Amino acid sequence: MSFFRKRSTQPPTAHRTVETPAPLRPDSASAVLNVLTTGLDSAVPEDRRAGISAALGGPIDSSEDCESRRAFIALDWLVRTWTPRWTRFVPGVGEELAVNLEGLPPITDLATAEAAGNFVGVLASTPAQAEITIAEYKGNIYDEAAAAAARSAASRVCAESAGTAVADAAASTVLEACLAARTDVAVNGVTAIALLVSLDGVAPYIQHWAAGPGEIEAKTLSIRALAPHAAWRSLESTAESLQQSALQLHRRLVELR
């Protein structure tokens, strides 16, 4: 053993910056509000999130009766406010469905949920119809770009218009009523409607870009980059309006006693 081992010089300890974690959103005693708040945190822009969490700072009535009423109010909003806003995009049958849903009595129990479900069921065939339509958009890069952009926009619509958050909040407490009201059919139907609406919205832009000057490779890159924004534009104002309505719903549920 050597007594003259080369001593390795220890490198100076690097200064490590410890990141302070973002403050956690306070949970309330209400399961409905916790689910709804989590969903809205993901759906709304960052500048509106502070108000959502701040609302949970005060006392919350989490009694069984209050929780049930919260969940039914959320379910009612989904069926009689959120769903009609989207079905109105469909001339004729969609507009008629919107009028029927808005004209229903408030959903407050299983019986009124079942009555609503009879109307919501009209949307059951909408996804298949949408797929038949979009299947025709193939065979060239422009149609395929339009279809891809429309699918991308439709995949965002339920979350960003707060439908997913409210549906999950209602189901956390009154699942049987949600099944009776056919909320899954509503969500899938709205996604299909959004697919067709965004497809109609993006197609003219793509036709314009395709007819413009330039090499096909450059136009293809441009279309693929811009088409998703054009597709979402057809849905954006409705999604933002429903976000605002959902924030009002959240405040109402927080204040419920």
Side-chain angles (χ1 to χ4, degrees), residues 19-105:
E19 294 184 1
T20 303
L24 296 175
R25 172 180 55 79
D27 280 338
S28 75
S30 164
V32 175
L33 286 174
N34 288 337
V35 174
L36 179 57
T37 301
T38 298
L40 290 178
D41 277 343
S42 301
V44 305
E46 187 174 356
D47 59 345
R48 298 178 189 169
R49 293 176 195 164
I52 299 173
S53 297
L56 299 180
I60 302 291
D61 186 341
S62 59
S63 64
E64 183 176 347
D65 174 69
C66 204
E67 280 290 87
S68 178
R69 285 189 290 134
R70 277 193 188 98
F72 273 111
I73 291 170
L75 175 58
D76 184 71
W77 182 89
L78 185 80
V79 172
R80 297 198 308 126
T81 297
W82 184 79
T83 304
R85 289 292 298 275
W86 294 112
T87 66
R88 272 202 168 83
F89 278 102
V90 182
V93 64
E95 294 170 324
E96 182 181 350
L97 177 59
V99 170
N100 288 333
L101 290 174
E102 291 170 344
L104 288 170

Side-chain angles (χ1 to χ4, degrees), residues 157-182:
V157 76
C158 290
E160 296 199 26
S161 64
T164 303
V166 176
D168 289 347
S172 71
T173 301
V174 291
L175 178 59
E176 186 178 4
C178 291
L179 294 174
R182 306 191 72 180

Side-chain angles (χ1 to χ4, degrees), residues 122-137:
V122 171
L123 294 171
S125 62
T126 309
Q129 294 169 0
E131 287 302 320
I132 291 172
T133 299
I134 203 166
E136 299 175 3
Y137 284 74

Side-chain angles (χ1 to χ4, degrees), residues 201-233:
V202 73
Y205 286 98
I206 288 184
Q207 291 169 2
H208 174 74
W209 294 329
E215 297 293 330
I216 187 169
E217 291 83 1
K219 288 196 289 186
T220 300
L221 290 173
S222 178
I223 285 171
R224 286 175 176 166
L226 296 174
H229 301 286
W232 180 248
R233 188 175 299 171

